[in-house]
């Protein structure tokens, strides 16, 4: 299991350390040749999405994994390339070269709950429309949007929602992300068990 917590960090060096910790954990787990992967985004309330994306590069691999899109249809793509997470052509965070080996085997189960919010929802979006992934748990918080800041004449800063998340298949959000399989912990259902059962069931089915 790879747990991705909220990333509330103030410096670039801290952000890169966060990303490298996730990537190195994935590489360590990969040595045991797991049948599949569980990405736990429960209680990830957001923060800086770029270290999270960069850290998950070994599983997501290179390419466009999502985007911000505004009401005019203008897109800012989320790009992963050689361990670097970028928006458009601007690199936001990168991992060490030795941690960039792409792990191409195994299904990926993504776990969410009602506290998965904002940048946590961006990471869940990055796994949407990925052929070997499936999401489990509860709906997310519904903050799958991007904001812009505007300087006001009195010196105040006004933050406005100016776009929504878009997955690699072109699906747009702006509200809660609904998992592929709803799991209700209040009824005694176990999200990890459901995700593990799906991974084990799928192991002998060709991609």
């Amino acid at each position: 299991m790879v747990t991705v917590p909220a990333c509330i960090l103030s410096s670039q060096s801290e952000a890169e350390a966060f990303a490298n910790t996730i990537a190195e954990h994935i590489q360590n787990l990969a040595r045991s040749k797991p049948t599949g992967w569980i990405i736990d985004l429960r209680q990830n309330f957001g923060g800086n999405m770029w270290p999270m994306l960069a850290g998950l590069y070994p599983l997501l691999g290179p390419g466009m994994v999502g985007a911000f899109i505004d009401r005019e249809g203008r897109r800012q793509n989320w790009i992963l390339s050689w361990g670097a997470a970028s928006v458009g052509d601007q690199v936001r965070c990168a991992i060490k070269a030795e941690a960039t080996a792409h792990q191409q085997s195994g299904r990926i189960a993504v776990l969410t709950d009602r506290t998965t919010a904002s940048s946590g929802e961006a990471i869940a979006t990055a796994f949407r429309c990925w052929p070997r992934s499936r999401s489990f748990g509860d709906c997310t918080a519904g903050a799958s949007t991007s904001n812009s800041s505007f300087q006001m004449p009195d010196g105040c800063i006004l933050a406005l929602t100016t776009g929504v998340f878009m997955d690699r298949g072109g699906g747009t959000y702006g509200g809660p992300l609904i998992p592929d399989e709803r799991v209700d912990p209040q009824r005694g259902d176990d999200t990890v068990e459901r995700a593990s059962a799906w991974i084990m069931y799928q192991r002998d089915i060709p991609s």
Side-chain angles (χ1 to χ4, degrees), residues 92-108:
R92 294 297 184 88
C93 188
I95 58 175
K96 297 175 183 176
E98 56 267 29
T100 59
H102 185 198
Q103 307 302 324
Q104 297 178 313
S105 63
R107 273 67 177 180
I108 297 180

Side-chain angles (χ1 to χ4, degrees), residues 21 80 90 105 166 175:
T21 296
L80 288 176
Q90 183 179 4
S105 63
M166 186 184 79

Side-chain angles (χ1 to χ4, degrees), residues 1 11 13 28 31 40 62 64 69 81 85 101 103 106 109 122 124 127 154 157 160 175 179-180 185:
M1 181 183 294
S11 72
S13 61
N28 288 335
R31 295 190 180 98
D40 192 353
M64 194 276 277
I69 184 167
S81 177
Q103 307 302 324
F127 284 100
D154 62 358
I157 301 294
L160 291 177
D180 296 311

Side-chain angles (χ1 to χ4, degrees), residues 28-181:
N28 288 335
L29 291 175
R31 295 190 180 98
S32 64
K33 301 186 184 303
T35 299
W37 302 85
I38 296 177
I39 308 300
D40 192 353
L41 301 176
R42 294 173 299 176
Q43 301 185 46
N44 183 328
F45 56 83
N48 187 345
M49 65 182 279
W50 308 109
M52 302 181 208
L53 274 182
L56 289 167
Y57 175 85
L59 295 179
L60 285 166
M64 194 276 277
V65 297
F68 303 122
I69 184 167
D70 67 18
R71 64 180 182 179
E72 277 79 38
R74 292 174 297 210
R75 286 168 44 177
Q76 292 180 295
N77 291 337
W78 312 340
I79 305 294
L80 288 176
S81 177
W82 295 105
S86 307
V87 56
D89 58 0
Q90 183 179 4
V91 174
R92 294 297 184 88
C93 188
I95 58 175
K96 297 175 183 176
E98 56 267 29
T100 59
H102 185 198
Q103 307 302 324
Q104 297 178 313
S105 63
R107 273 67 177 180
I108 297 180
V110 179
L111 313 186
T112 63
D113 63 12
R114 293 186 182 275
T115 63
T116 306
S118 188
S119 292
E121 290 171 291
I123 306 309
T125 298
F127 284 100
R128 291 290 174 105
C129 299
W130 198 76
R132 291 183 286 118
S133 71
R134 189 168 180 80
S135 53
F136 297 81
D138 206 347
C139 297
T140 63
S144 53
T145 58
S146 59
N147 300 319
S148 297
S149 297
F150 300 90
Q151 181 77 47
M152 304 303 290
D154 62 358
C156 294
I157 301 294
L158 177 64
L160 291 177
T161 296
T162 54
V164 299
F165 296 167
M166 186 184 79
D167 63 36
R168 68 182 75 200
T172 56
Y173 299 92
L177 276 67
I178 300 172
D180 296 311
E181 291 194 28

